[in-house]
Amino acid sequence: MMDERDLGTLFEFLKFQSVSTDPERSGDVAACAEWLAETMRESGLQAEVRPTGGHPVVLGWSERVAGRKTVLIYGHYDVQPEDPADAWSTPPFEPVIKEGRIYARGASDNKGQILSHLLGVRHALAAGDLPVNLVFLVEGEEEVGSPHLRGFVERYRDLLACDVVAISDTGMFAPGWGTLTYGLRGILAMELRVRGPRIDLHSGIFGGAVANPATVVARLVAELHDAEWRVRVPGFYGGIVPLSDAEREAWGELPDPEASLLRLTGVPLLAGEAGYGVLERMWARPTAEVNGLGGGFQGEGSKTVIPREAFAKLTFRLVPGQDPERIADLVEEFLRERVPAGVELEIVRGHAGRPYLNDPTTPESMAARRALERVFGRPPALIREGGSIPVVQDFAEVLGVPVLLLGLADPDAQAHGPDESFPVANFEAGMRLNRELLRELA
Amino acid sequence: MMDERDLGTLFEFLKFQSVSTDPERSGDVAACAEWLAETMRESGLQAEVRPTGGHPVVLGWSERVAGRKTVLIYGHYDVQPEDPADAWSTPPFEPVIKEGRIYARGASDNKGQILSHLLGVRHALAAGDLPVNLVFLVEGEEEVGSPHLRGFVERYRDLLACDVVAISDTGMFAPGWGTLTYGLRGILAMELRVRGPRIDLHSGIFGGAVANPATVVARLVAELHDAEWRVRVPGFYGGIVPLSDAEREAWGELPDPEASLLRLTGVPLLAGEAGYGVLERMWARPTAEVNGLGGGFQGEGSKTVIPREAFAKLTFRLVPGQDPERIADLVEEFLRERVPAGVELEIVRGHAGRPYLNDPTTPESMAARRALERVFGRPPALIREGGSIPVVQDFAEVLGVPVLLLGLADPDAQAHGPDESFPVANFEAGMRLNRELLRELA
């Protein structure tokens, strides 16, 4: 039911360099928001770009009809940086279709997914067949941890009142297999900056006289895990809600993901916290990851310096029972105790989001499962996911409604990496899913 | 005895971006070599630019008079990269004089020093007063470890035959205090590259499933030292010639370097291998330093990836009794044993050079000490130095002659760092030193 305009609309959306973490592209982010609001209006909705303390939120809504259920659909129009830019096969902001997939930064995360819902509504309105009151909330700061969204939802609580929230910003367990995600990990970002000498020093002349900040950063990062990838921070695992036997059993019945993970990632061997299977490690166990490491000479060849500073960008993925603030305190204390004399450690706390866990058998969940089954022709996979959508918890808490996660990104999406893509078939399925879901929820 | 042309000649020399490690600037390196040969000819020497397997060597020589001693003066016209370029107060290749110091990349290391010798010879020839046969050998690969110099010296052994080699490429113990350096550390460069996934992965989706290459690099670097900065590689300290009591006593009589080191480096506290004083740590103990560390997201803000690869650029400083090849083997074995499953480690060995130790009481050393005393008005400091000039060992071995190290870089030189500089007074003193030294050696 895709029409000839739909792909062109997506391509326009993908061309905006709406990289929310890059201060130099805030103009592109703003332009993308305006375009999206205009596209909502063209689709038959009312729409506004609303400011926040950061990048704006785009709101769209249908005429409110009394007695109808209200569905809020959330998504984001911002994207991850394209870096490393030279690893892309085609330019990240010049979408192309190859072998049935749309390649561009944001193709699956999240422009392709959120737009498929909007276009589903466009088609429904064109057919005079929208069975619910609808609100679109599309933000511009998801990739930097949605720092202003909770405040926004609290402020416009009345305007955003609804019966259920639906989000397509997660993955499918396998290509063509509709998936309901009922749990997400939380996140905590933290940057370590170690400073030593005032300037880069000659490592021959001064080597032996001063502590090397790059060595210290490496040492602090290395302290985070034991040899079997367990996080060594005392209290890190405290209070974690263990996986129920039923859930572990259900996951055990899913196809073994190892072959697929090896193919997707290209690693020679899977690795992770000792004592847990890979699905549990990805979905229900916390992690500590280095996202970026730097300091000293970065060029070709060698340069014999003791760098003046070095950094590590960390994120921790959190699971039910872990509180981001408390984990941040524990990690900070752990690291500060381990800083050797002669350098200074600055710890910059970044964004944080709580983990989320829902019940896949509520009426709303069952409605979503029926819609997924209708679109994809088989009962959906019921999974958790390792990523973080901090706002899911915010919606649940502030609006007091269930949140349905109906991901359309397939395992090959390469979200956040180079050559991110989204199958054309999933883009079309998303429009159908939107219509089936709204009917089921109605 | 500096004339009005001398500073202009130095400025011309400093403007060449002769960064030997940067393949994109090999043209600048070549142009610098041609300029230097021409400057030698203008000074009254014969000169040639001779090719090597890498950057060329510039040779200059005076008319050979039978019965005279022959002195070979070595230096290098290549420089370190200017990075981090934005940390410079003035552009690194646009020399300026501020408060009696010449600021530019290469000002002290080594263009200012080698040129002061050449201009000393220019003045001597103009005055008809050159008391020795002279050979200048100025290479273009010192900053990348002089990979072709030993072969060059072996090949032109006859042409380069001499009675003594003199080099000004080290530091003065204190400003205005002439210094004879009779020992240098060796060097061994090594780059670790850890590769995991084929592409950067979403650290939420895949976190827990794969080993993180940045974490592994950090872990390998952290393994190199214990908590008190001792190198943990078995055998690393094996065979080291201990410092003699006499030498330790002599160093104990030098002014305490702590205050000066704290001021120069800006560190809050000195640090290094437990059990040794700071001079011994810098001059007579080996080290393992990280010169560069990198992997994953380097930009502002955050990007939640598991990087596909990460690296650490290492150099080891070596002391008498340590063999670079053997140390490289020991380090490599140590690291390979510690690579966890799920990633691949590539180790790229870089340049290497042996340590050097001379006797400061030979006739040539005594001649140098008298020349230094005449120029600087006090007995010279007798020290070792932590840096590495691999060719010193090569000259000693291939030509079978003593090598005198008469450094003119003062402690504020910031060689290899931003705002490298060289006092105008030292430039002028270098010319006088050249003449006194040649007279004493004659």
Side-chain angles (χ1 to χ4, degrees):
Chain A
M1 70 171 230
M2 192 158 63
D3 76 18
E4 70 286 356
R5 289 167 56 204
D6 294 338
L7 269 176
T9 306
L10 176 56
F11 273 41
E12 287 179 25
F13 198 11
L14 293 171
K15 284 177 187 169
F16 287 97
Q17 300 195 18
S18 50
V19 178
S20 50
T21 200
D22 182 358
E24 297 198 347
R25 287 189 274 192
S26 57
D28 302 75
V29 177
C32 188
E34 291 296 341
W35 176 91
L36 182 59
E38 185 55 36
T39 304
M40 288 178 178
R41 286 180 210 113
E42 280 173 8
S43 303
L45 298 169
Q46 291 184 270
E48 273 182 21
V49 175
R50 299 236 174 168
T52 70
H55 298 300
V57 165
V58 182
L59 281 184
W61 60 93
S62 65
E63 199 183 350
R64 198 163 275 231
V65 178
R68 280 187 176 176
K69 293 257 179 169
T70 300
V71 178
L72 187 151
I73 298 179
Y74 163 88
H76 61 94
Y77 65 88
D78 67 321
V79 298
Q80 281 277 314
E82 67 275 28
D83 138 317
D86 59 4
W88 287 72
S89 305
T90 56
F93 297 103
E94 296 174 22
V96 293
I97 297 179
K98 282 182 292 191
E99 295 173 6
R101 302 184 71 90
I102 303 149
Y103 287 85
R105 169 55 83 227
S108 31
D109 183 14
N110 174 249
K111 288 173 172 174
Q113 298 197 55
I114 184 62
L115 192 70
S116 73
H117 280 282
L118 175 56
L119 297 182
V121 169
R122 176 195 278 184
H123 294 305
L125 285 167
D129 181 28
L130 187 71
V132 298
N133 298 320
L134 201 83
V135 181
F136 273 105
L137 189 166
V138 188
E139 71 153 320
E141 300 189 310
E142 198 271 343
E143 298 295 2
V144 290
S146 306
H148 298 98
L149 201 78
R150 187 172 180 118
F152 187 93
V153 175
E154 283 170 348
R155 186 166 162 205
Y156 296 108
R157 192 190 302 256
D158 295 341
L159 185 67
L160 301 175
C162 60
D163 297 290
V164 63
V165 172
I167 304 179
S168 290
D169 193 24
T170 45
M172 300 170 81
F173 186 73
W177 192 359
T179 300
L180 179 68
T181 300
Y182 62 89
L184 292 170
R185 291 194 288 194
I187 190 168
L188 165 66
M190 193 177 263
E191 184 165 336
L192 316 183
R193 297 175 191 160
V194 175
R195 299 194 179 89
R198 190 178 47 246
I199 52 164
D200 288 358
L201 300 176
H202 189 300
S203 65
I205 295 173
F206 295 101
V210 304
N212 183 321
T215 307
V216 173
V217 153
R219 192 185 288 187
L220 293 177
V221 166
E223 290 275 0
L224 289 171
H225 295 93
D226 70 12
E228 296 191 282
W229 297 108
R230 290 180 202 94
V231 174
R232 293 183 58 233
V233 178
F236 185 78
Y237 295 110
I240 290 179
V241 181
L243 203 63
S244 71
D245 290 345
E247 211 172 354
R248 186 173 286 114
E249 204 171 297
W251 293 355
E253 283 165 19
L254 290 170
D256 182 354
E258 183 171 343
S260 152
L261 283 168
L262 289 175
R263 184 181 61 80
L264 282 171
T265 63
V267 297
L269 201 78
L270 300 181
E273 190 189 355
Y276 297 90
V278 67
L279 288 183
E280 189 165 356
R281 296 200 311 259
M282 290 193 297
W283 296 350
R285 295 295 298 172
T287 60
E289 296 289 359
V290 184
N291 304 129
L293 193 64
F297 186 57
Q298 301 290 312
E300 283 274 320
S302 68
K303 181 168 193 289
T304 50
V305 291
I306 297 174
R308 61 184 167 170
E309 61 186 345
F311 69 84
K313 292 171 185 272
L314 307 177
T315 48
F316 299 84
R317 297 288 165 169
L318 309 177
V319 301
Q322 286 182 305
D323 173 69
E325 283 259 345
R326 182 171 151 68
I327 296 294
D329 291 342
L330 292 173
V331 171
E332 182 155 350
E333 187 189 349
F334 177 83
L335 293 173
R336 290 211 179 279
E337 279 171 1
R338 281 160 178 78
V339 182
V343 295
E344 276 158 18
L345 170 65
E346 182 190 6
I347 295 182
V348 182
R349 294 195 189 184
H351 58 282
R354 295 179 174 283
Y356 177 72
L357 194 57
N358 192 18
D359 176 348
T361 63
T362 62
E364 294 82 5
S365 293
M366 295 308 292
R369 288 163 70 170
R370 287 192 299 275
L372 285 163
E373 181 158 0
R374 201 147 316 133
V375 171
F376 293 100
R378 62 190 281 195
L382 304 179
I383 69 168
R384 294 204 214 175
E385 197 173 291
S388 309
I389 314 180
V391 297
V392 170
Q393 189 74 26
D394 294 339
F395 284 126
E397 287 172 18
V398 179
L399 301 180
V401 296
V403 180
L404 302 171
L405 299 171
L406 308 148
L408 296 167
D410 73 332
D412 286 312
Q414 300 190 182
H416 293 206
D419 289 344
E420 176 179 348
S421 67
F422 191 48
V424 175
N426 292 25
F427 182 53
E428 193 273 332
M431 300 182 209
R432 280 191 288 134
L433 177 62
N434 174 269
R435 298 198 63 179
E436 295 291 349
L437 179 68
L438 299 187
R439 278 185 200 127
E440 287 293 342
L441 289 170
Chain B
M1 72 171 225
M2 190 157 65
D3 75 18
E4 71 287 353
R5 290 165 57 202
D6 294 339
L7 269 174
T9 306
L10 177 56
F11 274 41
E12 285 178 26
F13 198 11
L14 293 171
K15 283 177 186 167
F16 288 97
Q17 300 196 17
S18 49
V19 178
S20 50
T21 198
D22 181 358
E24 298 198 348
R25 288 188 274 193
S26 57
D28 302 76
V29 176
C32 188
E34 291 296 342
W35 175 91
L36 181 58
E38 186 53 35
T39 303
M40 288 179 179
R41 284 180 212 115
E42 281 173 8
S43 303
L45 299 168
Q46 290 184 268
E48 272 183 23
V49 175
R50 298 235 175 167
T52 71
H55 299 300
V57 164
V58 182
L59 281 184
W61 60 94
S62 64
E63 200 182 348
R64 199 164 275 227
V65 178
R68 280 187 176 176
K69 293 254 177 171
T70 300
V71 178
L72 187 152
I73 298 180
Y74 163 87
H76 61 93
Y77 64 88
D78 66 321
V79 298
Q80 281 278 314
E82 67 276 28
D83 136 318
D86 59 3
W88 287 72
S89 305
T90 56
F93 296 103
E94 297 175 21
V96 292
I97 296 180
K98 283 183 291 190
E99 297 173 4
R101 302 184 70 89
I102 303 149
Y103 287 85
R105 170 56 82 229
S108 26
D109 184 13
N110 175 247
K111 288 174 173 173
Q113 299 197 58
I114 184 62
L115 192 69
S116 72
H117 280 282
L118 175 56
L119 297 183
V121 169
R122 175 193 282 184
H123 295 306
L125 285 169
D129 180 29
L130 188 70
V132 298
N133 297 321
L134 200 84
V135 180
F136 274 104
L137 189 168
V138 188
E139 71 153 321
E141 300 189 310
E142 198 275 344
E143 299 295 2
V144 291
S146 306
H148 299 97
L149 201 77
R150 188 173 178 116
F152 187 91
V153 174
E154 283 170 349
R155 188 167 160 203
Y156 296 107
R157 191 190 302 255
D158 295 339
L159 186 66
L160 301 174
C162 60
D163 298 289
V164 62
V165 172
I167 305 181
S168 288
D169 194 22
T170 45
M172 299 169 82
F173 186 72
W177 192 0
T179 300
L180 177 68
T181 300
Y182 61 90
L184 292 170
R185 292 194 288 194
I187 190 167
L188 165 67
M190 192 177 261
E191 184 166 335
L192 316 183
R193 298 177 189 157
V194 174
R195 300 196 178 86
R198 189 177 48 243
I199 51 164
D200 288 357
L201 299 176
H202 189 301
S203 65
I205 295 173
F206 294 100
V210 302
N212 183 320
T215 307
V216 173
V217 154
R219 192 186 287 187
L220 294 177
V221 167
E223 290 275 0
L224 288 172
H225 294 93
D226 71 12
E228 296 191 282
W229 297 108
R230 289 182 203 93
V231 174
R232 293 182 59 234
V233 178
F236 185 77
Y237 295 110
I240 290 181
V241 181
L243 202 61
S244 71
D245 289 346
E247 210 172 354
R248 186 174 285 113
E249 205 171 293
W251 292 357
E253 283 163 21
L254 291 170
D256 182 355
E258 182 170 345
S260 151
L261 283 168
L262 289 174
R263 183 180 62 79
L264 282 172
T265 62
V267 298
L269 201 78
L270 300 182
E273 189 189 356
Y276 298 90
V278 68
L279 288 184
E280 188 164 354
R281 296 200 311 259
M282 291 192 299
W283 296 349
R285 295 294 299 171
T287 60
E289 297 288 0
V290 184
N291 304 128
L293 194 63
F297 186 57
Q298 302 289 314
E300 284 274 320
S302 68
K303 181 166 194 288
T304 50
V305 291
I306 297 173
R308 61 184 165 168
E309 60 185 345
F311 68 85
K313 291 170 186 273
L314 308 176
T315 48
F316 299 84
R317 296 287 165 168
L318 308 178
V319 299
Q322 286 183 304
D323 174 69
E325 283 261 344
R326 180 167 153 72
I327 295 294
D329 291 343
L330 292 173
V331 171
E332 180 154 352
E333 185 188 351
F334 177 83
L335 293 173
R336 291 213 180 277
E337 278 171 1
R338 281 158 177 80
V339 182
V343 295
E344 277 157 18
L345 169 64
E346 181 189 7
I347 294 182
V348 181
R349 295 193 188 184
H351 58 282
R354 294 178 176 281
Y356 178 71
L357 194 57
N358 192 16
D359 177 348
T361 62
T362 60
E364 293 82 7
S365 294
M366 294 310 292
R369 287 162 71 169
R370 287 192 300 274
L372 286 163
E373 182 160 359
R374 200 151 313 135
V375 171
F376 293 101
R378 62 189 283 196
L382 303 180
I383 69 169
R384 293 205 215 173
E385 198 173 288
S388 310
I389 314 180
V391 296
V392 170
Q393 189 73 30
D394 293 339
F395 284 126
E397 286 172 17
V398 180
L399 302 181
V401 296
V403 180
L404 301 171
L405 300 170
L406 307 149
L408 296 167
D410 73 332
D412 285 311
Q414 298 189 180
H416 293 207
D419 289 344
E420 177 179 349
S421 68
F422 191 48
V424 175
N426 291 27
F427 183 52
E428 193 272 334
M431 300 182 209
R432 279 191 290 136
L433 177 62
N434 174 268
R435 299 197 62 180
E436 297 290 350
L437 179 69
L438 299 188
R439 277 185 200 126
E440 289 292 343
L441 289 171

